[in-house]
Every structure is written in C-alpha cells, then in structure tokens.
Amino acid sequence: MAMMSGKRAFLALLKQEGVELLFGNPGTTELPLMDALAVETGLRYVLGLQEAAVMAMADGYAQASGKLAVANVHVAPGLGNALGMLYDAQKAAAPILLTAGQHDQSFNFSEPILWADLPTIARPFVKWSAEVRRIEDLPRAVHRAAKTALAPPTGPVFLSLPADVLNAEADIELGSPTRVAPRLRGDRTALEAAAQLLAAAERPVIIAGDAVAQSGAHAELAQLAEFIGAPVYAEGVANTASFPSSHPLFHGAMPRLAPGIRAILQQHDVLFSVGGDLFTLSLPSDVEPMPEGLAIVHLDTDAWELGKNYAARAAILGDPKATLPELAALLRERMSAAQQAQARTRLDAARTAIAAEREALHAKARVEAGKTPLRPLALWQAMAEMLPRDVVVVEEALSSAPGLRQLLRSDDPQSFFGLRGGGIGWGLPAAIGVKLALPQRPVVALVGDGSAMYTCQALWTAAHDRVGVVFVILNNRSYRILKQRTTAMKGFAAQTDRYVGMDLTDPPIDYVGLARSLGLKAERAATLSETVDLLRRFLDAGGPGLIEVELDGSYGPV
Ligand SMILES: Cc1ncc(C[n+]2csc(CCOP(=O)(O)OP(=O)(O)O)c2C)c(N)n1
Ligand SMILES: [Mg+2]
C-alpha cells in the first residue's frame, strides 16, 4: 500500500495492463490526467484533433495489435463526437478502454457545463459502462475494464473518470490484471454434429469471419476447406483478412445485398460459418438471403452471433484456432473413402472455377487500365504489382471496393483492415492506429473522398507523430455509392439525373492543399503511372504522405 493520487494510479494501472499508448483529446476535466502525463515516461500520448479521429485511431490500434487500446475524451460533447466511431469499434469487436473525464461529483447535481450522465450515453455501444465514484475503486474498475474488453468476444468498454477521483489521494493497492484465456475449445457434442453434417455435405461452402483472423487460424481453416473441398468467402462487411486472399479457394467477399447472397448460397447444401457474419445487409429486400433447407454449421467466439438470424443445426461456441483442428480430425475419421474422393473432386472444380473468375477480373482490370479518368479496378491491379509483400491495406473505399480483396494480396491476418460498422470517417485515423501497432510494416490507406472529410483532422496526427501511413484519397468528387443506390431506385433522381447532396464539387475539395496545411507531404495523381510512382516514392521515404487520385465519378446501378 502506498499513498497515491488517483491520476497517477490510473496511469500506473494502465501500464500494469500493458498499455503503451494513450489516444486522446483533452479538456478541463482531463487536466488532472494531462498533469500526471507531464511526468510520465512509460506512456505516449497521441493527440487527435477531433474525438471521432481519436476513437478510430484507438480502434485501428486495437484491431492490429490485439492489445488493449485506451482513449480519453472530454465529457459529454467529446464522448458524443466519438460515438460514431465507437459504434464501428463495437462492430469490429475492438478491445478498447474508452474513458471520459467528468466534473467533480459534488458539482454535478447543479448540471455544470458539458455535464451529462456519461455511462448512459456510452452504454449501447460497449460491453461495460460505469463511472468510478471513489479512488479506492479505481484499481478494480481499470482491471475489470481491461479484462472485459479483452475477454472473448472482445469489444470496447467505457469508464467515466470524475476529476475529484483523479485528484484524490489515498493509500491504495493497485492489484493486478486478469486475462481470460481466449482459446476456448468448442463443445465435443456440437463438433460431432458439425462433423456429421460436413462429412455428408455434397456442396459445402465456408464463410470466414473476423474471428478467424483474430485467432490467427488461417492455416487451420485452409486445411479444413481443402479437405472438404469447399470454396471460402469472406463475410460481406469484412474488417479483417479472414482468409488468405491468394489461396486458390478464396472467392472474395459475400455480397451485402440479399439477392446476391441467395444466388451464391443456392448452389450449396451446407454452409459452414467460421466466425462469419450472417448477415449484415445494406438494404432491406423482398428476397430472403438464406435459401430454405440450407443446413448451417456455425462456429463463433460470440454466443450472440450463433443462430442470431438463422437457426444453426450445429452451433459451436469456440475459438477457431483451438477448435478447427479437432473438427478436422473428426472429419478425417468420419468421411468415407468415397466422400473424401468426392471432396477432392470438389476441390479441383472449385480451384478451376475460382482461377477462371480471377482471370476474368484481371482481364476486366486490363481493359479498364486503358480508360481515363482512372477506374478503381485498374488502380487495384496496378497497386498489386508494386506494393511490398508485407504491406497492410486499410480500406474505406466504398463504391471503389469491388475486386480489391481479390486483386490486392492480403495473405496474413494483419494484412488487411476494413470498415466494419459502416460509419464512415474511419479509414484515415484507423490507418494511423494500425501503423502505430505495426510500425515495421508499410501501411497504405485507401479512403473515399467523402469519407476522408469526416476525420481529416487525423492527417495532422500522422504528420505530428510521424506515423508513416501513405494515404490514398479516392477522389471521385462525390458520394458515388449513394448515387449508385439512388439510380437503382429508378425514381425521380434517375429520371432527371439530379442527385441532391451527393456531389462534392463547386468548390472542389483540394485534398493536396488540405494535407499540406496539416503538415503532410501530398501530391495529386491522374494516371496509373503517376499513382504508382508516388506510392513508391512515399513508401520508400517511409511516409507519411497523401496521394489524391482523380478517379472516374460515373455511376450506374449496382
Ligand atoms: C457517419 C456516416 N455518415 C453518413 C453515411 C452515409 N454514407 C454512406 S456512404 C457515403 C458516401 C461515401 O463517399 P466516398 O467516401 O466518397 O465513397 P464513394 O461512395 O464515392 O465511393 C455516405 C455519406 C455513413 N455511412 N456514415
Ligand atoms: Mg467519393
């Protein structure tokens, strides 16, 4: 036991939890913490100039490191600014401790400026939300928060930190962290049921989700997919490289609209979802995405997801890396020689079909490469040829995304991060967090022009903290995806070719000027060769830098 202030105890507790970085944006209620940071050498404070940027930086860091990320924001308005990105972090299951400063508790009944009931605001978006009322509870609160954020299924938690708690002094015991071991092995009975369904399957298909990348189970899943001869799709709204993109069974991502999903699943008799999301759809539809009679085997680290929308014939709560080998062993025992021979035939057929699809995509990209203005598909192909093998791609490309996962290599679990929640503005700051987590790897962020404007303040942090991300702004001067979707409605907009609130013109946004004003090197590219040259230059220099790519803005129904 030792006399300690709350503010120093809080930082000491974070260090006990293995935290090295603190993302934040300060205000008066955070001043005790900022004061303690003045003499703190074990924690680096990364300043973000808007709380949305702060939050998404923490998200990128948490996802790429698998460690606890900590962010600190200012009372109700700061927390409010962070909420959209907290939503994204929750959907991506990012282990984050979000904290906000609160006024002195004796002051709050009078409703001082910026005050609100903070845990209530955060609660819908986190696993646990609380206010620390006494300095004596601080160790328990921080350890519980960290344990909860990192326990499967991982996710954000929130603590409100009143200034009087941080300023108090007490004789407190800091305690120590708890970690819930994540390698939960699926229940044997459920695995037997799964093995029976998969062994008898004639046309199985796999959807791989974020749990695969998070548990580092690429090899285990690839072996199983090959053994049963099943093509593998990434989940529709994928935030991770849930399967190696150059594996011959990788089919790309599932569509996000019901008719496209149904068209794929209709070709199969058993669906094995390995942490795969069933289904986060973009729009409602009269078409039911799940064909009747398709048997579902579902493995996830989150019991909530199992059978959430569609009943699973076998529902397995478990970690993919710990569980898939046991399932594979059962399948090797259960599948007859004839079934194994059929699986090999399926494997060959799936490989051939996927290779043909890839070749068609490459051919299309080659045709697009000749067109001006620049087309996204051609851009991905050109980038694929020059990006270093260990590159990490952070993607918020919206309408430019089709084909990206197939054309750009993303073969290890940390090679790709994408927007999961759908709240745009994530890409620029998330890429900063990713690079801070993986400093040895080159990081390229592919971000739509519209998306970039929600959190462009993050560019200053990249410059200030010298975080070597190469940002690529996909400038089609519009909210192109919204135009595509509006066109598909075949209504007034399509008839009149008027799209209200979707053009980012008059004046056009100068992303090069914007980035330079925030201290980044930046250049504009209008051709493939200009883009590739600039990418090479910025990557060789170790970043950070920004390339504004002038992209085709035309739209048609999708
Ligand atoms: C926080 C938030 N606000 C608004 C939207 C609605 N929205 C979805 S996509 C989009 C436009 C994206 O534009 P851009 O990044 O330029 O990509 P593009 O569609 O041009 O490919 C908007 C405004 C959203 N998803 N999230
Ligand atoms: Mg755009």
Side-chain angles (χ1 to χ4, degrees):
M1 304 271 273
M3 281 302 277
M4 212 177 197
S5 61
K7 60 192 183 185
R8 298 211 69 178
F10 179 69
L11 299 184
L13 288 161
L14 294 185
K15 286 190 287 182
Q16 274 191 346
E17 293 288 352
V19 174
E20 292 163 357
L21 288 176
L22 185 56
F23 299 91
N25 185 268
T28 45
T29 51
E30 289 70 45
L31 295 186
L33 273 187
M34 305 320 283
D35 186 50
L37 282 166
V39 290
E40 173 58 62
T41 50
L43 280 167
R44 176 175 168 196
Y45 187 83
V46 179
L47 173 63
L49 302 185
Q50 216 274 13
E51 290 82 355
V54 170
M55 194 65 233
M57 282 183 217
D59 183 3
Y61 179 81
Q63 288 196 56
S65 68
K67 297 200 293 195
L68 183 72
V70 181
N72 182 235
V73 297
H74 183 48
V75 219
L79 179 57
N81 283 345
L83 284 186
M85 295 297 110
L86 178 60
Y87 176 89
D88 286 344
Q90 180 195 37
K91 294 295 169 189
I96 300 171
L97 167 55
L98 174 62
T99 62
Q102 177 60 289
H103 288 290
D104 273 46
Q105 294 175 83
S106 60
F107 192 29
N108 285 338
F109 199 78
S110 70
E111 301 193 354
I113 191 164
L114 304 161
W115 173 86
D117 180 15
L118 302 180
T120 303
I121 297 174
R123 191 159 287 124
F125 308 107
V126 294
K127 291 174 76 178
W128 182 54
S129 187
E131 187 159 85
V132 185
R133 303 257 166 86
R134 303 182 312 151
I135 183 172
E136 292 78 5
D137 292 328
L138 205 50
R140 186 172 279 153
V142 173
H143 290 315
R144 190 189 294 173
K147 182 258 326 191
T148 304
L150 287 162
T154 54
V157 296
F158 175 78
L159 285 179
S160 162
L161 302 173
D164 56 303
V165 172
L166 295 176
N167 285 324
E169 300 248 349
D171 202 7
I172 50 172
E173 173 62 61
L174 291 181
S176 48
T178 299
R179 288 291 178 272
V180 178
R183 297 268 174 253
L184 180 66
R185 298 207 354 222
D187 176 87
R188 177 79 183 185
T189 315
L191 283 174
E192 305 246 358
Q196 196 172 357
L197 285 161
L198 289 168
E202 291 180 354
R203 298 177 312 281
V205 61
I206 293 172
I207 298 181
D210 54 9
V212 178
Q214 280 155 5
S215 78
H218 275 182
E220 290 79 1
L221 183 58
Q223 271 168 23
L224 193 140
E226 287 162 25
F227 187 68
I228 64 172
V232 182
Y233 291 84
E235 55 194 346
V237 191
N239 58 308
T240 59
S242 54
F243 201 68
S245 71
S246 40
H247 191 281
L249 284 176
F250 182 61
H251 229 308
M254 287 297 281
R256 298 177 183 190
L257 297 174
I261 296 174
R262 189 181 177 90
I264 290 169
L265 295 182
Q266 258 172 348
Q267 303 162 34
H268 299 280
D269 61 348
V270 177
L271 164 61
F272 184 20
S273 165
V274 186
D277 163 48
L278 309 177
F279 300 105
T280 301
L281 300 172
S282 297
L283 290 171
S285 170
D286 294 337
V287 176
E288 170 53 56
M290 190 68 83
E292 303 70 33
L294 183 68
I296 299 172
V297 176
H298 202 162
L299 164 67
D300 207 300
T301 49
D302 187 353
W304 176 256
E305 293 299 326
L306 296 171
K308 181 176 78 176
N309 291 322
Y310 305 100
R313 297 266 294 275
I316 312 152
L317 182 63
D319 171 73
K321 194 171 184 74
T323 304
L324 289 172
E326 195 170 335
L327 180 59
L330 279 173
L331 284 165
R332 277 192 293 275
E333 278 168 29
R334 295 292 154 80
M335 281 170 73
S336 65
Q339 283 172 329
Q340 293 195 26
Q342 279 165 9
R344 283 193 293 276
T345 309
R346 285 198 297 268
L347 175 64
D348 289 340
R351 277 185 172 151
T352 311
I354 290 166
E357 254 176 42
R358 290 250 178 140
E359 184 37 45
L361 194 63
H362 277 287
K364 193 171 166 200
R366 282 194 293 273
V367 172
E368 303 262 281
K371 295 182 182 165
T372 40
L374 249 171
R375 303 298 201 273
L377 208 56
L379 190 61
W380 309 147
Q381 190 172 51
M383 285 170 107
E385 284 164 15
M386 59 73 60
L387 285 177
R389 284 195 82 82
D390 59 342
V391 73
V392 182
V393 170
V394 177
E395 184 254 316
E396 187 174 38
L398 283 296
S399 74
S400 300
L404 187 149
R405 270 307 302 286
Q406 284 104 316
L407 292 179
L408 289 182
R409 194 185 316 105
S410 46
D411 280 347
D412 71 87
Q414 265 96 32
S415 57
F416 171 87
F417 297 95
L419 171 65
R420 176 59 176 260
I424 60 176
W426 173 87
L428 297 183
I432 293 172
V434 168
K435 179 69 182 173
L436 286 167
L438 304 169
Q440 308 307 330
R441 295 181 68 162
V443 174
V444 174
L446 308 170
V447 180
D449 54 331
S451 299
M453 287 311 292
Y454 292 74
T455 47
C456 53
Q457 301 88 340
L459 297 175
W460 179 86
T461 301
H464 179 72
D465 283 72
R466 293 167 181 73
V467 189
V469 177
V470 181
F471 302 97
V472 178
I473 304 295
L474 308 165
N475 190 1
N476 52 29
R477 296 160 306 283
S478 59
Y479 292 157
R480 181 167 167 254
I481 197 160
L482 299 184
K483 287 190 175 181
Q484 289 174 332
R485 296 261 161 95
T486 315
T487 310
M489 287 164 60
K490 298 192 171 78
F492 298 126
Q495 282 162 31
T496 57
D497 200 31
R498 287 193 64 223
Y499 294 84
V500 177
M502 298 180 197
D503 284 306
L504 306 180
T505 51
D506 191 21
I509 298 168
D510 171 10
Y511 291 87
V512 171
L514 174 69
R516 286 181 182 165
S517 79
L518 295 170
L520 274 195
K521 291 197 168 63
E523 299 291 343
R524 191 169 285 111
T527 65
L528 284 179
S529 64
E530 280 172 11
T531 312
V532 164
D533 287 350
L534 284 168
L535 264 172
R536 201 170 279 130
R537 203 167 94 201
F538 282 133
L539 285 170
D540 285 350
L546 179 141
I547 306 168
E548 177 185 339
V549 182
E550 292 173 16
L551 271 189
D552 181 39
S554 62
Y555 47 89
V558 273

